[in-house]
Amino acid sequence: MNLPLPDWLKRRPRILNVLHALKLIRPVSSTTKAELQCLERHARGKALAVEIGTAQGVSAVRIARALAPGGRLVCVDPYSEENPNAQICRRELARWGVLGRVTFLRGRSVEMAAQIPRGCDFMFVDGDHSYEGLQADWGIVLECLAVDGIACFHDTSVPVEEPHRQPGSVRFFNEVIRKHPGFEWLETVYTLNVLRRCRAA
Ligand SMILES: C[S@@+](CC[C@H](N)C(=O)[O-])C[C@H]1O[C@@H](n2cnc3c(N)ncnc32)[C@H](O)[C@@H]1O
């Protein structure tokens, strides 16, 4: 069952957690259907993925399901295990049969940086959308993404349908990431940009 949710309810994680436990709703996310399909396409067959910013696990489920057999997804998010968003996430991953593929690093990405695996072949950055937040996560991508690996950045393009949606991450992406010679831009889907690492430096 998937009841339609009013906006006020989407901001009430404790209530959402109860409804989700009762299988009355699905987890909520601002990531669109087209963006999720795009993530899934690029994660398909990958072996070692990282997601920065997991919330209720909507994108994590799609990525984890797409990985190669034996593939691993590391999810980085400050929500503690007791947080209702994190509880929804674990339950949803379990319902899809992919909880065993996921490792959680519970903290901000910069605090967890030393534990994020090197040599990843897929990274989805969807945590702190400020200019400085994406700047920090970009440093982690440079450190952890293997050559030929795919990097996806949410909220880095302004959709025509939502011209007001301009977090600092859009400016950092345009000023720095888009121009980096070690990355080849592949596509933009709504607010999501996808790049491939073409060389180490
Ligand atoms: C937009 S939500 C993620 C949505 C999720 N990727 C999806 O598509 O369903 C952003 C998440 O980033 C987390 N977050 C915020 N700052 C962060 C940081 N510095 N490092 C890691 N996660 C962060 C928040 O706790 C929140 O759960």
Side-chain angles (χ1 to χ4, degrees):
M1 202 164 172
N2 192 23
L3 297 176
L5 295 179
D7 281 344
W8 66 266
L9 185 52
K10 291 182 186 168
R11 295 187 291 274
R12 299 291 174 93
R14 282 199 187 84
I15 302 175
L16 294 176
N17 190 22
V18 173
L19 296 175
H20 185 256
L22 295 169
K23 297 192 174 174
L24 292 173
I25 59 163
R26 297 222 176 98
V28 296
S29 172
S30 64
T31 308
T32 67
K33 194 173 164 188
E35 289 171 335
L36 290 167
Q37 285 169 348
C38 176
L39 289 170
E40 192 172 325
R41 199 160 17 90
H42 287 284
R44 187 153 309 286
K46 297 289 193 288
L48 182 56
V50 167
E51 176 178 78
I52 296 177
T54 294
Q56 297 183 7
V58 173
S59 49
V61 164
R62 299 293 286 261
I63 295 165
R65 288 177 64 206
L67 297 176
R72 304 281 318 155
L73 170 63
V74 176
C75 289
V76 188
D77 197 294
Y79 287 147
S80 69
E81 267 184 51
E82 298 76 39
N83 184 289
N85 293 293
Q87 291 184 5
I88 293 171
C89 176
R90 281 188 78 87
R91 195 184 300 119
E92 187 70 9
L93 287 161
R95 281 181 186 164
W96 284 99
V98 290
L99 182 60
R101 293 183 156 201
V102 179
T103 304
F104 296 97
L105 296 178
R106 301 199 183 277
R108 295 171 61 242
S109 51
V110 279
E111 297 156 357
M112 297 291 120
Q115 294 175 58
I116 298 175
R118 275 51 183 166
C120 301
D121 52 7
F122 179 89
M123 296 185 80
F124 176 38
V125 178
D126 190 17
D128 179 345
H129 295 116
S130 67
Y131 186 97
E132 295 76 16
L134 183 53
Q135 186 170 37
D137 288 344
W138 173 237
I140 294 172
V141 170
L142 290 176
E143 185 73 26
C144 298
L145 189 71
V147 173
D148 258 352
I150 296 292
C152 304
F153 300 91
H154 202 234
D155 273 301
T156 50
S157 278
V158 182
V160 279
E161 297 87 341
E162 296 181 272
H164 56 278
R165 193 164 160 182
Q166 301 208 22
S169 49
V170 171
R171 191 162 64 84
F172 185 78
F173 180 82
N174 289 328
E175 285 179 10
V176 179
I177 300 178
R178 190 80 168 82
K179 296 177 182 160
H180 194 287
F183 284 74
E184 169 198 11
W185 172 85
L186 298 181
E187 62 176 313
T188 303
V189 174
Y190 207 56
T191 75
L192 180 75
N193 278 285
V194 183
L195 297 89
R196 185 198 316 277
R197 188 164 206 175
C198 37
R199 55 178 196 256

